[in-house]
Amino acid sequence: MAVVTKTPLGEPVTRSGVAQSIHDSLVIARRNLIRMTRIPEMILFGVIQPVMFVVLFTYVFGGSMTVGGSTDSGVYKDFLMAGIFAQTVTFATAGSAAGIADDMQKGLIDRFRSLPMARGAVLTGRTVADLAQTAITMFVLAVVALLVGWRTGSADSTSVARVAAGFGLLLLLGYAFTWIGALIGLSVRTPEAATSGGIIWLFPVTFISNAFVDSSRMTPWVRHIAEWNPFSATVQAARVLFGNPGVVQSDAWPMQHPVWASLIWSGVIIVIFRALAVRKYLRATG
């Protein structure tokens, strides 16, 4: 009599370490994306703030700003948009911090910890979901920017690939900063504290930069800080790739090689703060 051996239906699939980590991270990312669709206010309010910045800076401050010796509001409008895009992706840090702090407070992180999941997958999944939300916000903001008159450079100097690369660098910076938000969210006790802690340090980072004004007109010591600011490197790179005015002429290496500087800064931030956040996560749930 023949014996038939059947594989139990509930038997887990064996994966390599990297494959398991990617799978678990995507599962968590999917969970967070589904949650976002059920709370549309999260996306709505995330879009409203940058749109307000575009309108206010364009129509309130545009006529009084000087870019490259020109006071034309249209020139400032094109100069401004790279800074607004960069500010938008970095301000998503506060949402990441608050979301992780909320999960910690509700005990959801402890539930994830009881499952056979890859180390760090909870945080990676969260940051990937936040990146997807930021990309949606960026798309809406780009449409609004086009409606108010923002344009990239001429077709001869700016291709679709270069524009896409500019947005790619902006999203990479935003992803890097969400790891800072993850560390903040794991370090505080309440979502309210995470929101404050996730945004307060962003103001000097975004305003001591070349995002809204020409950094060459700043006080020398402030200008040096702005030129070596990771945020400024990405803004400069975006302006170069978009073909927009206001590309600062400076001896500082990040301003001379903004694309490489942006990639390096974002990579360093991801490596350092991911390691710190995962370490904090393991200690907080250990």
Side-chain angles (χ1 to χ4, degrees), residues 182-259:
L183 180 61
I184 293 172
L186 291 166
S187 303
V188 298
R189 297 182 180 180
T190 65
E192 293 79 10
T195 300
S196 299
I199 201 169
I200 191 170
W201 61 275
L202 284 171
F203 282 101
V205 169
T206 54
F207 283 95
I208 305 179
S209 72
N210 58 359
F212 307 112
V213 297
D214 185 349
S215 60
S216 64
R217 301 169 63 87
M218 296 178 178
T219 302
W221 68 271
V222 177
R223 182 177 70 247
H224 293 316
I225 294 174
E227 290 173 342
W228 284 90
N229 184 345
F231 184 84
S232 294
T234 300
V235 172
Q236 179 89 335
R239 287 195 182 118
V240 170
L241 294 170
F242 292 159
N244 286 156
V247 177
V248 178
Q249 301 302 317
S250 168
D251 293 333
W253 188 87
M255 297 296 99
Q256 293 181 342
H257 308 278
V259 174

Side-chain angles (χ1 to χ4, degrees), residues 89-90 93 172-182 201-202 205 230 269:
V89 299
T90 53
T93 301
L172 180 62
L173 179 70
Y175 181 69
F177 274 46
T178 58
W179 281 107
I180 302 177
W201 61 275
L202 284 171
V205 169
I269 292 171

Side-chain angles (χ1 to χ4, degrees), residues 75-234:
V75 173
Y76 181 70
K77 190 183 302 177
D78 290 339
F79 167 86
L80 171 70
M81 285 316 305
I84 294 290
F85 288 142
Q87 184 191 53
T88 300
V89 299
T90 53
F91 270 48
T93 301
S96 299
I100 291 175
D102 186 53
D103 287 345
M104 289 284 291
Q105 188 181 56
K106 292 178 178 178
L108 188 61
I109 297 296
D110 291 331
R111 297 178 194 174
F112 285 136
R113 179 173 170 267
S114 66
L115 299 174
M117 298 179 64
R119 167 177 154 173
V122 172
L123 299 181
T124 302
R126 174 78 205 196
T127 56
V128 169
D130 289 338
L131 177 64
Q133 182 181 357
T134 301
I136 294 172
T137 303
M138 181 76 75
F139 174 77
V140 175
L141 184 58
V143 172
V144 173
L146 291 171
L147 291 176
V148 300
W150 171 68
R151 295 294 182 269
T152 58
S154 64
D156 295 335
S157 61
T158 308
S159 65
V160 174
R162 286 174 65 87
V163 173
F167 282 113
L169 287 177
L170 289 164
L171 289 174
L172 180 62
L173 179 70
Y175 181 69
F177 274 46
T178 58
W179 281 107
I180 302 177
L183 180 61
I184 293 172
L186 291 166
S187 303
V188 298
R189 297 182 180 180
T190 65
E192 293 79 10
T195 300
S196 299
I199 201 169
I200 191 170
W201 61 275
L202 284 171
F203 282 101
V205 169
T206 54
F207 283 95
I208 305 179
S209 72
N210 58 359
F212 307 112
V213 297
D214 185 349
S215 60
S216 64
R217 301 169 63 87
M218 296 178 178
T219 302
W221 68 271
V222 177
R223 182 177 70 247
H224 293 316
I225 294 174
E227 290 173 342
W228 284 90
N229 184 345
F231 184 84
S232 294
T234 300

